[in-house]
Structures are given as structure tokens and as C-alpha cells.
Amino acid sequence: MHIPFRLLPTLLTLAFPPVFAADIEWPTYGLDLSNQRYAAPSQINTGNVGRLIRAWAYQSGVKATFQATPIMVDRTVYLSLPFNGVVALDAVSGRQLWRYEHPRKKDYPLCCGPANRGVAVADGKVFIGTVDARLVALDARSGKVLWDVEVADAGSARQESVTTLTESDPLRKATIAGQSGVGIAMAPVVHKGKVLIGVTGVGYGLHLDSDRDGAPLGAVVGFAGNYGRPGFLAAFDVNTGKRMWQFDTIAPTHWEGEFRRTTPDGVPLYRDIEKERAELPTYPDAARYGGGSAWSTPAIDAENGLLYFGTGNPSPQMDGTSRPGDNLYTVSLVCLEVETGQIRWHYQQVPHDQWGYDVASPAVLFDYPHNGQRVPAVGQAAKIGWYYIHNRLTGELLKKSDEFVVHQNTFTNPTPEGQVILPGVLGGINWSPTSVDAGLLVAYVPAIHWPVKYTKLVIPATDAKLAVEYTTLEPLMDVPRWGVLSAIDLATGKMKWQHKTAQPLVGGVLATAGNLVFMGEGNGRFNAYDAANGQTLWSDQLDAGVNAPPVTWQIDGVQYVGVAAGGNQIFGYKAGDTFQVYTLKK
């Protein structure tokens, strides 16, 4: 039988269909439970990244601070939007499959803006924590609400107030944002039938908005007093939403701790310990308002049944007068048992924090060489500018980076004239997730150089009002500020390379087996760097700040890279509503 030559390709395809590698997904916030964000796809690599082009884009219509890590499973991208909308998109074409709009409680006080950092997908469900402190489970196929539970009560946190100030004080005329309310910013994570999520805003305090649109945060204001409430991390049943356990981030007893004069790694704190001890009986209820937001999605050691997450500043923020002591377990890396929520250990990076040095960037798990052995380790990139490595079973500090990722002048006290400190309240390393190449033992860390002025002000007493003291942390606008992307050799603690950017870096990084590191900037640039030396190999210009973590996935042998471009209000980066996806030009 004669077969026309032109039909041979078709017949061969039918007889021997092409074999594609298995799809490579991005199934959870940190890629896997270790939070390493080091992805296996290598089709896009240092040799061809220059051919990267836009494949498709989704525009949500919601232009606001956009921080989401999308999830890609079953060829579907699940993307959370500001104010807690969720969309399901075809991962190859970008076609919208369904969209959920969250019915936020009327007049609910937003503690921390509209941002949401992502969803969790498991057991045919999509889980999202909301700005009004709820946990919602959606059907992954339809977006239909399966259950919706209250995680915390809006009225459970006592809020700061400027009403005690005089009419002539500038704060009375300022636009105030933020409060000790309760919301959820973190992406949940699911493990063994439990949805794990924590609350934020419990020690957030007052923020002064800038006097013009598109400008960064004006200042952070702190008052002594009974403001806030304890934060917590909790576990919920995936099928019913029933609360299974709750860990409060404020120690139930002796939250004053040891009254440490230094950080655990020996840096002086310049505290008046004698005064704090003497005044401790004056504030017997301070722990009831203790703060300690849970900002970061936990990393999970499934083999040992442990999880690791960071806690925020104590409440009230910045002014420690009304909370003598170390304020356990705030500003700590905390290890819990996944099954029970019982604490195994904690490491408090900054006792009695007055500077806003939350443990905000997610913890990362990897094995670490120590004294001739491989030790199960947990790493965390700190707001104060170091990278910490602990034995994840005991909490022992194994290594601290030998160099700061940014300049440091911390732990000074406020004065009427104002003291310049750095890293400031914005970091160091803010909430941005890092990436770790566990094979090479290299961490890729985005950071911020932005000095702030720390000032103590006193409003004198009058016949009608008592004297009022408050502190401000004001990001300085008339000094140089920049970003730094660092590659840290975790074995030695030294920098392999650093890449300086024109603007502070916030959003997160992605490292891949293609020897690439991806990171966005607030000016709208989305960049690919050579993981070996930090050289910029490719860049694209988007129409809003790229201040969310990139992800990658692979379908039918084609690798994609996606990132949200929606800006960041606190940093003054332009808002947008785009999720942009890239692939190689054929």
C-alpha cells in the first residue's frame, strides 16, 4: 500500500503519540511544605531566558496592593485578589473558569489594608483567609462556598486613639490608617486534614497616610497603654471548618521573660531593666493586649510533625512603657507540634521590641552541615538584617550570617530630636519570601535600605487633659534608599554576591533549576538574574509595581513563569490589577 509522504507525520503521531514529561505544579504557598521556593523546571535557563515573552495576562479590575502567590494544580491557577476575591484560571490560556467575590462584613475595620498573600488548595477545596478575619472554603471546581467560619472577632482588639491629643497637634489633622484590629494576610497551608492560618493586626498600631496619592507611608505612631490583643495561629478541620487547636502568640504566664539586656545573639538593647522591673506590678494586665501578629505561612516538617512560623511586634508597638519585660513570644521564630499546637521552642530575635522588627519572612527548612553532621535546620531572613539558621528540633542557633544584608544601626532609643535607625520599620527583609537552593546551600534574599527617624514627643498637660507621650517612626524621604538582592552562602554565612536596585525590594523571589533567580521591583520591572553571579539576564516592564512573589509551572513540556503586578501602597508603588504569565518564544 502506498502512503502519501505528506500523511506520514500524521500517521506517525497517531501510532506514536508524543510523550510529554509530567506536569510540574506549584501546589502550596512555598512550593512545598519546606517553603524553599526552589523550582525544578529548567527549560527556561541562563542560556535562553532572553527569549522569554508574555504568554497571557489576567486583569482582575481590582487595583490595590497585590501580594499573592498563585497556586497551580490540575492545570488550574488559583489566584487570590485584594479584598479576598479568588479566581480560577486555565494555566495554559489564562481563561477564567470561575470567580468568587468575598462579601466583606459591612463597616469592618481593616487593620492592614486589602492585601492577601494567597490561597491553599487541597482535598478539592480552595481555602482563603480574609481581611475580616474569616476562613472560607470554596469548591475547587466551581468556586461555590462550602463553609465560612469566623477566625477572630473584630471587636476583640482595643484600638489606639488620637482623641487624647490637643486640637493643635499635627496628628489630629493627619489621615490615620491601620489599627489594632484583626485580619488575615497570610496564605493558609494544609497538612493532614488541618488548615493552618494566623491573624494579623493585633499590634499593628496607627499609620499616618501620606499627604498625596502614590507616596509611601507617612509615619508609624505608637502610644503606651492597653491597646491590641494577643495574636494566634490556629488549625481548622478541612471538611467542617471546626477549630482543632489554637496557639496564642503571647506566653500565658511570665511573658516578661528574663528581662534580657541583649538579643539572644548578644547585641545590646539599651533597655532600662531596673525601671522595667520596678514598673512591672503597675501593668498587671499588659499581656492581655500583647500583640504578636502571625504574618508568615508556616513551614512544616512532616517527618517530625513540627511547624515553624514568625510572630510580630508586641502591643502597643514602638512604645514599651506599658509592657515591661521581654514580651514573650513576640518577634520570635516559633516551633509547634502540628497535631496539638503545643510549643516546642521559640527564639526571640528582639526581646521587648520597640522598632517593629516582626519575624515576617517565612521560615525555610533544609538540611545543614554542622560539626561534621547533617542537621535538620530552619532558616529565617530577619527584618533586622541577618539570616538565622537553627536546629529545627531543638531551636539551637547554628549560624547567623557573617554580614548584614543591608546596613545596620539598630536598637537606639527615641529622642525629641529623632534618632536615625536602620533597618527601619520596613526592614531589612520584610514579609518577602526567600528562596533556598538546598543542594548548593545558597539563600536568595530580597532586602530594603530605608532609614527611619525614631522620635519621642510629649504633649504637655493642661487643665483639661493629662500630658500625653507618643513615639513616631518616620521613613525618611530626603536620604538615599535602595534595594539589595543577596545570595548568601549558608555554609559560611558570607555573601556570594549582591545586586543593588534603585528601589527597596519587597515581594519575594523565585529560584529555579535553570540557574535563574526571578524578582520584581516597585518601578514595574520584572527581572531574571544569573544565580551564579547576580547579573541581570532579562527584564520586562509592567504597568504597576511588581511586589508579589513569582512562581513557575510546567504543562505538556512547556514552562511558564507568572507574577502579580499590583504595587504596594505602603511603599508608594503604583497600583495595578494584572497577573502576567511568560514562556519562551518558539
Side-chain angles (χ1 to χ4, degrees):
M1 180 178 65
H2 174 71
I3 299 174
F5 181 77
R6 61 184 174 81
L7 294 180
L8 281 176
T10 300
L11 293 174
L12 288 172
T13 299
L14 292 173
F16 304 98
V19 177
F20 293 113
D23 292 350
I24 302 176
E25 301 182 326
W26 190 286
T28 191
Y29 176 76
L31 177 57
D32 53 27
L33 295 178
S34 71
N35 277 348
Q36 288 183 7
R37 289 180 179 260
Y38 180 83
S42 59
Q43 182 184 90
I44 302 169
N45 54 56
T46 55
N48 61 22
V49 69
R51 292 170 34 217
L52 210 57
I53 60 171
R54 299 183 186 187
W56 57 264
Y58 175 80
Q59 291 183 295
S60 70
V62 182
K63 291 190 175 183
T65 300
F66 204 174
Q67 299 176 347
T69 291
I71 301 299
M72 199 295 284
V73 294
D74 296 329
R75 300 189 170 210
T76 304
V77 171
Y78 297 94
L79 178 67
S80 65
L81 308 177
F83 299 106
N84 305 122
V86 181
V87 294
L89 308 171
D90 183 284
V92 175
S93 68
R95 178 174 62 90
Q96 180 176 301
L97 305 176
W98 55 257
R99 179 164 177 162
Y100 163 76
E101 298 288 353
H102 179 64
R104 192 169 81 248
K105 293 179 184 177
K106 187 178 180 180
D107 300 326
Y108 192 94
L110 294 187
C111 73
C112 319
N116 177 272
R117 293 179 185 158
V119 299
V121 180
D123 297 334
K125 303 177 183 67
V126 179
F127 304 93
I128 185 169
T130 71
V131 292
D132 50 355
R134 305 190 69 80
L135 179 61
V136 181
L138 308 173
D139 183 277
R141 290 188 177 274
S142 66
K144 178 183 176 182
V145 176
L146 299 176
W147 49 258
D148 179 344
V149 298
E150 186 174 69
V151 176
D153 175 19
S156 61
R158 185 178 177 192
Q159 299 173 7
E160 293 90 333
S161 174
V162 296
T163 58
T164 56
L165 304 183
T166 63
E167 293 294 336
S168 61
D169 190 274
L171 282 183
R172 290 297 296 268
K173 301 175 183 178
T175 302
I176 300 296
Q179 53 200 305
S180 290
V182 186
I184 297 173
M186 75 159 63
V189 62
V190 176
H191 183 61
K192 288 191 173 180
K194 299 178 182 64
V195 188
L196 303 162
I197 200 158
V199 297
T200 54
V202 296
Y204 197 62
L206 299 174
H207 286 195
L208 271 63
D209 284 349
S210 173
D211 57 2
R212 66 187 190 280
D213 290 339
L217 172 72
V220 182
V221 182
F223 295 88
N226 293 332
Y227 303 115
R229 58 150 289 167
F232 62 83
L233 185 83
F236 297 83
D237 184 277
V238 294
N239 293 316
T240 66
K242 179 182 177 182
R243 192 179 309 246
M244 302 176 73
W245 55 254
Q246 176 175 311
F247 172 78
D248 288 346
T249 56
I250 299 303
T253 58
H254 306 298
W255 95 303
E256 65 274 11
E258 303 174 20
F259 289 88
R260 301 187 67 111
R261 297 180 185 275
T262 70
T263 64
D265 46 319
V267 181
L269 291 170
Y270 306 109
R271 293 167 60 181
D272 189 339
I273 296 296
E274 288 68 29
K275 181 180 178 183
E276 286 185 44
R277 288 186 182 277
E279 293 185 348
L280 183 63
T282 307
Y283 303 100
D285 296 327
R288 290 178 53 197
Y289 307 93
S293 292
W295 289 105
S296 56
T297 299
I300 298 175
D301 180 341
E303 180 180 352
N304 293 294
L306 301 174
L307 68 83
Y308 307 83
F309 76 106
T311 63
N313 58 266
S315 183
Q317 67 172 354
M318 294 162 46
D319 193 319
T321 305
S322 58
R323 47 176 175 84
D326 296 343
N327 312 143
L328 305 180
Y329 304 108
T330 62
V331 192
S332 297
L333 182 63
V334 179
C335 172
L336 305 180
E337 296 177 1
V338 178
E339 190 62 30
T340 65
Q342 295 297 307
I343 189 169
R344 279 287 189 90
W345 57 263
H346 81 281
Y347 182 90
Q348 190 174 37
Q349 291 179 3
V350 184
H352 192 72
D353 173 65
Q354 300 182 135
W355 306 272
Y357 287 139
D358 316 64
V359 178
S361 181
V364 185
L365 308 185
F366 49 88
D367 290 337
Y368 188 71
H370 183 67
N371 293 336
Q373 296 182 326
R374 300 292 291 184
V375 176
V378 53
Q380 201 276 324
K383 246 189 172 184
I384 49 180
W386 282 298
Y387 195 95
Y388 292 95
I389 303 173
H390 301 265
N391 181 316
R392 66 175 181 257
L393 302 182
T394 67
E396 175 193 359
L397 182 63
L398 303 177
K399 184 73 177 177
K400 186 177 76 170
S401 56
D402 288 358
E403 304 170 68
F404 310 131
V405 295
V406 290
H407 298 309
Q408 191 181 66
N409 174 30
T410 53
F411 309 140
T412 58
N413 290 310
T415 65
E417 299 78 22
Q419 293 281 345
V420 175
I421 64 171
L422 52 101
V425 66
L426 300 174
I429 301 92
N430 205 287
W431 65 270
S432 306
T434 63
S435 293
V436 171
D437 181 336
L440 295 179
L441 275 181
V442 177
Y444 301 99
V445 178
I448 298 161
H449 174 85
W450 196 334
V452 301
K453 186 167 67 172
Y454 192 23
T455 307
K456 169 77 79 173
L457 300 169
V458 180
I459 306 299
T462 66
D463 292 339
K465 292 187 176 184
L466 298 173
V468 176
E469 291 188 0
Y470 64 91
T471 53
T472 63
L473 278 171
E474 180 184 1
L476 296 176
M477 303 302 296
D478 57 351
V479 299
R481 54 189 188 275
W482 59 81
V484 179
L485 179 60
S486 301
I488 304 174
D489 185 324
L490 298 180
T492 65
K494 298 185 182 302
M495 299 295 169
K496 288 177 65 71
W497 54 259
Q498 289 192 302
H499 181 96
K500 186 176 179 180
T501 59
Q503 295 176 320
L505 289 177
V506 62
V509 295
L510 162 68
T512 75
N515 296 316
L516 295 170
V517 178
F518 291 90
M519 175 85 202
E521 299 182 57
N523 58 12
R525 302 300 295 177
F526 182 47
N527 308 310
Y529 301 94
D530 189 321
N533 55 32
Q535 179 184 350
T536 305
L537 300 178
W538 169 89
S539 188
D540 188 30
Q541 179 67 53
L542 297 174
D543 61 0
V546 184
N547 304 120
V551 301
T552 189
W553 64 87
Q554 188 164 302
I555 294 177
D556 293 338
V558 178
Q559 184 181 354
Y560 300 86
V561 175
V563 70
N568 187 294
Q569 181 182 9
I570 286 179
F571 285 78
Y573 296 150
K574 183 181 176 182
D577 66 345
T578 301
F579 177 63
Q580 183 65 58
V581 175
Y582 300 86
T583 193
L584 288 175
K585 183 178 181 180
K586 295 180 181 179

